[in-house]
Amino acid sequence: MSLRKFISNKTIAALAVIMTAFANTSAFAQAAAAETAKKPVDMGPVYKSAIFYAMAFLLLCLFIAIIGKALKVYELTRAAQDKPKGINWNAVNGVLFALFLIVGLYGVYWEYTVHGNMILPDAASEHGEKIDQMFNITLILTTIVFIATHILLFGFAYIYKHSGKRKAYYYPHNNTLERVWTIIPALVLTVLVLMGFLTWRSIFYKIEDPNNKPISIEITSSQFAWAIRYPGADGIVGLKNYKLINSINALGIDFKDKNNLDDQSADEMVIPVNKPVRLILTSKDVIHSFYMPHFRVQLNTVPGMTSYFEFTPTITTEEMKAKTNDPTFKYLFLCNKICGDGHYKMQKEVKVVSMAEYEAWVKKQPAYLTDDLRKEFNLPVAVPVTAPADTAAKDTSAVKTNQLALKN
């Protein structure tokens, strides 16, 4: 065998590469073992460094480039020797498409079975059930379309890979196909949009039941806290005026409105089960997003604007602990808008209890009107005697404002 043939022999070349790699690996391993024997190295900080992963990515790219160049040299060598191509890249690409399809479909299954178990539990409000139903229908339809289109896409790439045994058919246009994939998606999307619109109307346009009037609760957002105000004995949350905000009157409560005199402040939200709750949402500084994930409630709080949201909780905190098998479970409301560096602190607990527990709790809450505020607004220091709390009273001024906003 001549020297040229010996060097170009594939078996000899492969063995040389393997021996070189083995020798280098053994040398590095011995050096690393000797170094480790001297002094253990803590690699924790290295693995936490962004530079480490950037270098690993670059090394991977370099490795792929080297493999690509080696394959290119191999192909050029065979072409120089007038030999047929050694690798059928059409077959390789077809097989890769089939493998990607299998791996991708398994990924969909894995997402549904693993991450699917991490989603929120059943909605704890009446309207939340409608939102979940709409979400599930949309998810099922899009999943079916996703799987079907990808089976066709990757399947065609594998089945019709170039083999040199058939000629491609020129198929520029088909009116029937155009109509099918235009009309069917349009009809499906129209149904989904109408379903969303009707669900939205059922949430925001409610007919009030005079025998089951909602409890009004005012939530004021600021960087980076929430302020909760209950209506007190008259069941009406009083008016505010931002011009009255100072170190004592943090919310700018206007005590010329007599409805403010019995309002109460709270550090948490406690609401009775199966009782409508009407949220009055405002902001002192920037746009925040009031978010109660378990109740499927989310609405922005905007400075200079009052927003309203009414919902009815259906599952108490204790019942949800049993449903989730989590004795530490808590309902929360939080800010879902990145409103600054203290955004992560904006959350408060929500407790859903029986009506009897709610009435006992609300009686213990302090009045917003403190002695300092009484002095500030020249109000009598003596606390006026009020009738028992009628938490079902209707906030007429807020309802009129809401109806006007909805009409506009």
Side-chain angles (χ1 to χ4, degrees):
M1 180 185 294
S2 66
L3 180 61
R4 180 185 175 189
K5 288 185 178 180
F6 180 81
I7 293 173
S8 62
N9 186 277
K10 290 187 290 184
T11 305
I12 299 300
L15 288 173
V17 170
I18 293 171
M19 290 180 65
T20 303
F22 177 77
N24 289 334
T25 304
S26 300
F28 280 120
Q30 291 174 3
E35 186 65 25
T36 304
K38 293 178 183 178
K39 183 180 178 181
V41 178
D42 182 14
M43 296 296 290
V46 176
Y47 294 142
K48 295 179 182 179
S49 171
I51 297 176
F52 171 80
Y53 292 100
M55 293 299 295
F57 175 73
L58 291 175
L59 286 173
L60 177 63
C61 293
L62 180 62
F63 176 75
I64 294 173
I66 291 172
I67 295 297
K69 289 294 183 183
L71 290 173
K72 186 66 176 177
V73 170
Y74 171 69
E75 294 290 346
L76 290 174
T77 302
R78 293 188 66 85
Q81 295 174 349
D82 294 329
K83 294 182 179 179
K85 289 185 177 181
I87 300 175
N88 186 350
W89 289 109
N90 292 311
V92 170
N93 288 332
V95 172
L96 287 176
F97 269 99
L99 290 175
F100 272 108
L101 174 61
I102 294 170
V103 173
L105 292 178
Y106 175 77
V108 174
Y109 167 78
W110 187 85
E111 282 291 327
Y112 270 82
T113 55
V114 178
H115 284 166
N117 293 325
M118 301 179 186
I119 62 176
L120 291 168
D122 294 339
S125 63
E126 287 183 355
H127 78 274
E129 296 176 3
K130 299 177 184 178
I131 291 177
D132 284 357
Q133 182 183 22
M134 184 176 65
F135 176 84
N136 290 334
I137 291 173
T138 304
L139 182 63
I140 291 170
L141 288 175
T142 53
T143 300
I144 292 172
V145 173
F146 175 83
I147 291 175
T149 53
H150 280 74
I151 288 175
L152 291 173
L153 176 66
F154 287 89
F156 267 69
Y158 174 75
I159 295 171
Y160 294 103
K161 60 183 178 292
H162 178 70
S163 63
K165 298 179 180 178
R166 58 176 174 261
K167 185 177 180 180
Y169 176 66
Y170 182 63
Y171 198 68
H173 187 70
N174 185 289
N175 288 329
T176 303
L177 283 178
E178 292 284 349
R179 293 190 188 97
V180 168
W181 64 48
T182 300
I183 294 173
I184 292 179
L187 291 175
V188 173
L189 289 174
T190 300
V191 170
L192 292 177
V193 170
L194 284 175
M195 183 173 63
F197 175 72
L198 294 174
T199 302
W200 180 84
R201 281 188 60 87
S202 69
I203 294 171
F204 282 93
Y205 289 84
K206 291 182 177 293
I207 299 175
E208 221 172 67
D209 182 0
N211 299 319
N212 192 23
K213 295 178 181 178
I215 298 169
S216 294
I217 303 174
E218 182 191 75
I219 309 291
T220 304
S221 59
S222 61
Q223 293 179 308
F224 298 95
W226 300 99
I228 306 174
R229 195 158 60 113
Y230 279 77
D234 60 4
I236 301 174
V237 177
L239 300 176
K240 295 193 301 186
N241 186 343
Y242 72 94
K243 295 180 181 179
L244 299 176
I245 294 176
N246 56 34
S247 59
I248 300 174
N249 190 9
L251 296 180
I253 304 300
D254 184 0
F255 289 102
K256 293 179 182 179
D257 178 10
K258 301 303 180 183
N259 294 321
N260 280 312
L261 298 179
D262 61 349
D263 288 354
Q264 299 169 285
S265 60
D267 290 329
E268 62 183 356
M269 185 190 293
V270 177
I271 50 180
V273 69
N274 298 322
K275 177 73 176 176
V277 177
R278 189 166 183 272
L279 300 172
I280 304 170
L281 305 172
T282 62
S283 177
K284 287 175 62 177
D285 39 41
V286 300
I287 296 177
H288 299 269
S289 186
F290 180 83
Y291 182 43
M292 302 174 73
H294 295 94
F295 301 94
R296 312 303 191 258
V297 174
Q298 181 170 341
L299 202 66
N300 284 350
T301 62
V302 184
M305 174 180 170
T306 303
S307 303
Y308 303 89
F309 197 100
E310 185 177 320
F311 72 102
T312 303
T314 56
I315 304 174
T316 66
T317 302
E318 294 301 320
E319 289 172 343
M320 187 58 82
K321 286 180 180 180
K323 288 175 69 73
T324 59
N325 196 25
D326 181 7
T328 64
F329 175 86
K330 291 181 181 180
Y331 288 123
L332 295 173
F333 74 82
L334 41 90
C335 179
N336 204 27
K337 192 82 70 180
I338 302 177
C339 56
D341 57 1
H343 160 76
Y344 69 95
K345 296 186 294 185
M346 290 189 66
Q347 60 177 273
K348 280 189 179 292
E349 185 177 355
V350 181
K351 292 181 180 177
V352 182
V353 297
S354 66
M355 178 57 76
E357 290 174 308
Y358 167 75
E359 290 176 348
W361 173 86
V362 81
K363 289 178 182 178
K364 298 177 182 178
Q365 302 313 301
Y368 182 85
L369 181 57
T370 62
D371 289 341
D372 291 336
L373 285 171
R374 288 180 180 277
K375 294 175 183 178
E376 177 79 14
F377 288 88
N378 298 318
L379 296 170
V381 176
V383 179
V385 178
T386 58
D390 178 14
T391 55
K394 179 178 178 182
D395 187 353
T396 54
S397 61
V399 170
K400 290 179 180 177
T401 307
N402 191 20
Q403 290 175 347
L404 181 61
L406 290 175
K407 288 178 181 178
N408 292 336

